[in-house]
Amino acid sequence: MRLKLSCGVEVWGHNGGIQGSISEALTTADGRHALALNFNGDWNVHEQRVVDAEFCDARP
């Protein structure tokens, strides 16, 4: 999937989940910045906040 974040950064990746687990792996198009995450539990998870913190707040 391609995802354009609210800060304008574009990332590519894949996500998925089963009952009790949510996973996501994302990278910039050049592959220089990547993130993989997993949340155990299917309650109100805000993985987008983690993605934004990694790719938007860490921009040079």
Side-chain angles (χ1 to χ4, degrees):
M1 72 179 170
R2 180 178 66 161
L3 180 63
K4 189 164 189 175
L5 304 178
S6 61
C7 62
V9 172
E10 185 176 90
V11 293
W12 292 81
H14 184 75
N15 63 6
I18 59 172
Q19 187 173 7
S21 181
I22 297 170
S23 298
E24 194 163 344
L26 299 165
T27 186
T28 54
D30 63 7
R32 296 177 64 127
H33 192 163
L35 169 71
L37 61 88
N38 182 73
F39 285 102
N40 290 323
D42 54 0
W43 54 91
N44 192 13
V45 176
H46 298 284
E47 68 271 7
Q48 190 61 45
R49 293 165 81 187
V50 174
V51 172
D52 286 341
E54 178 64 29
F55 289 102
C56 294
D57 295 347
R59 288 186 298 171

